Amino acid sequence: MDRNGLARMPYPLVSALSSGPERTVRGYHPAVTTFRLDQSDNVRTKAERDTILADPRFGTVFTDHMATAVWTEGDGWRDHTVGPLRPFSVHPAAAVLHYAQEVFEGLKAYRHADGSVWLFRADANAERFQRSARRLALPELDTAAFLDGIEQLVRVDADWVPAPDGEKSLYLRPFMFATEPFIGVRPAREVTYCLIASPVGSYFPSGPTGVNLWVTDEYVRAAPGGTGEAKCGGNYAAGLAAQLAAQENDCDQVLFVDAVEREWLEESGTMNVFVVTRDGELVTPGLGTILAGVTRGSVLALAEDHGLTPVQRRIGVGDLRAGCADGSITEIFAAGTAAVITPIIGLRGKDFDLTVGTGKPGERTLALREHLLDIQFGRAADTRGWLRRVV
Ligand code: COI
């Protein structure tokens, strides 16, 4: 037992603070960047896996392994392990349970037609994970360790990467949370990193047929100076009441506006938003209080290939209402790792109900979606060096 009354686990959760050499900087990176493999002797059978992979409902099933590492102030990161998937045992006073000191990421591994498996822009996720960690006063995990954990997990669970079929892929969820047990508000001195993987299909059961968004005037997601740009669990928890309101209004997701003027589009509950204009602009809100989506950045980079001018500027609810009414806005879509590119076919608010374009997924939206998926699945040339081979 340690001093907090927890039995010592081989990994991942330690609960005694070590008194190592004085290295107290949260961003301290020890030399360890490789994960040790502890292969599970209890993996699911091929038949069980095949049944799951035939229809992987988003985020409901997990592979046989997970990666973990532990950070303590003074000693930095240690115990990097890829081992069997198993539940955590956390002390009831673990800081994350009280103060939500947590950040996460989302990326996917794609199987190509020749059987190889690839990551898409994983280095961008590593960098964002570091930025989120800084904002939440968590330690940074260096890019080499982030990538090594992912590569080893994908290799050991490679049979869980679905064959290319629609948008089926292996969703990877790295996350980090404060495990130090204490009551009091300060950055935790013990943190756990974990990575799990889940075979997935479409995020929205309707797939690319289009979704309706509820423009909330009741809730805001982020304010200047807040955590809007960080990928932290608290942002999503704070959006859940708004998501329920969206469902009560027959919409699939919520669309948030800014906290100050309650006018300017921010992002949807799980995705960045884009507007296509009749004049050939592809407009998305600028960064500051929204997530710097990896898919968002990729779509902006692909815009010109589709004859669209990428523009980052504010878009008002008034602009949407006028643009959808007079046809100067022709398409709207949302973008995110989970949702890929999802057409928005309708927007509703307390006093409006807008049909976007023809009320069907737009041509430009579908072409961009196809282009992105073609790159991710190796059907189009990766001219920007976005892919990284793992298997
Ligand atoms: C993603 O798109 O990867 C996300 O993290 C959004 C959501 C599933 C929370």
Side-chain angles (χ1 to χ4, degrees):
M1 292 286 200
D2 69 15
R3 65 178 190 163
N4 297 300
L6 288 184
R8 278 291 204 154
M9 310 294 273
Y11 75 88
L13 294 178
V14 291
S15 291
L17 298 178
S18 94
S19 54
E22 277 306 297
R23 292 182 304 226
T24 53
V25 181
R26 300 218 136 226
Y28 170 68
H29 305 317
V32 182
T33 53
T34 52
F35 283 70
R36 180 179 66 82
L37 180 60
D38 169 18
Q39 193 136 1
S40 172
D41 51 15
N42 186 26
V43 301
R44 272 152 291 177
T45 62
K46 178 173 181 333
E48 284 171 312
R49 222 175 31 237
D50 287 349
T51 309
I52 292 166
L53 293 184
D55 183 20
R57 276 177 304 129
F58 198 98
T60 56
V61 188
F62 299 89
T63 64
D64 296 313
H65 293 85
M66 67 199 242
T68 50
V70 175
W71 178 91
T72 45
E73 192 171 270
D75 283 350
W77 289 105
R78 63 184 163 79
D79 296 346
H80 302 68
T81 311
V82 171
L85 180 80
R86 54 161 225 184
F88 284 120
S89 158
V90 288
H91 194 287
V96 66
L97 302 177
H98 305 266
Y99 315 115
Q101 198 189 359
E102 186 266 0
V103 294
F104 72 98
E105 268 305 319
L107 68 163
K108 287 173 172 170
Y110 304 85
R111 193 176 292 286
H112 289 187
D114 65 0
S116 58
V117 177
W118 302 72
L119 302 174
F120 180 75
R121 305 195 68 187
D123 49 339
N125 292 93
E127 282 162 25
R128 188 174 62 187
F129 198 45
Q130 289 156 9
R131 292 198 300 275
S132 299
R134 284 199 293 275
R135 180 62 184 84
L136 272 283
L138 283 161
E140 291 172 46
L141 184 71
D142 59 283
T143 301
F146 182 89
L147 295 177
D148 183 69
I150 289 175
E151 292 186 6
Q152 293 215 44
L153 182 67
V154 171
R155 283 194 194 111
V156 71
D157 282 336
D159 289 342
W160 284 97
V161 185
D165 167 18
E167 56 188 86
K168 280 186 192 171
S169 60
L170 185 68
Y171 186 85
L172 298 158
R173 168 53 58 85
F175 58 108
M176 188 193 289
F177 56 104
T179 37
E180 185 194 351
F182 71 100
I183 304 276
V185 180
R186 60 157 170 78
R189 296 182 186 135
E190 178 193 298
V191 170
T192 296
Y193 169 72
C194 183
L195 164 69
I196 51 175
S198 172
V200 296
S202 289
Y203 185 72
F204 290 104
S206 56
T209 54
V211 296
N212 291 286
L213 297 187
W214 174 249
V215 184
T216 176
D217 63 356
E218 192 179 357
Y219 301 103
V220 292
R221 176 186 171 276
T227 55
E229 261 199 313
K231 202 159 174 68
C232 60
N235 286 347
Y236 295 80
L240 293 176
Q243 191 177 318
L244 285 180
Q247 281 157 11
E248 279 156 19
N249 287 284
D250 287 329
C251 289
D252 304 275
Q253 254 299 353
V254 60
L255 179 55
F256 291 104
V257 295
D258 74 291
V260 181
E261 294 179 58
R262 303 290 181 105
E263 169 65 11
W264 308 103
L265 301 198
E266 293 252 308
E267 67 178 68
S268 171
T270 53
M271 307 166 288
N272 294 116
V273 283
F274 286 83
V275 165
V276 180
T277 69
R278 192 171 45 203
D279 301 338
E281 282 188 333
L282 179 65
V283 192
T284 196
L287 299 177
T289 50
I290 64 168
L291 190 77
V294 176
T295 311
R296 173 187 181 277
S298 310
V299 167
L300 287 172
L302 295 179
E304 282 172 0
D305 293 3
H306 294 259
L308 293 167
T309 308
V311 184
Q312 299 182 56
R313 69 157 180 261
R314 343 194 266 184
I315 308 160
V317 176
D319 301 331
L320 281 187
R321 294 178 67 162
C324 287
D326 69 14
S328 57
I329 289 178
T330 52
E331 302 178 29
I332 303 180
F333 64 85
T337 298
V340 194
I341 289 179
T342 298
I344 310 297
I345 53 176
L347 289 166
R348 292 188 198 129
K350 212 168 53 189
D351 55 355
F352 61 90
D353 187 347
L354 303 174
T355 300
V356 181
T358 59
K360 298 211 163 56
E363 227 172 88
R364 304 307 247 300
T365 303
L366 293 179
L368 277 162
R369 180 185 148 82
E370 209 51 41
H371 191 174
L372 183 64
L373 288 170
D374 281 349
I375 295 172
Q376 291 169 335
F377 284 99
R379 298 184 293 254
D382 174 27
T383 54
R384 294 169 178 86
W386 283 344
L387 298 185
R388 181 183 180 93
R389 186 169 182 172
V390 182
V391 174

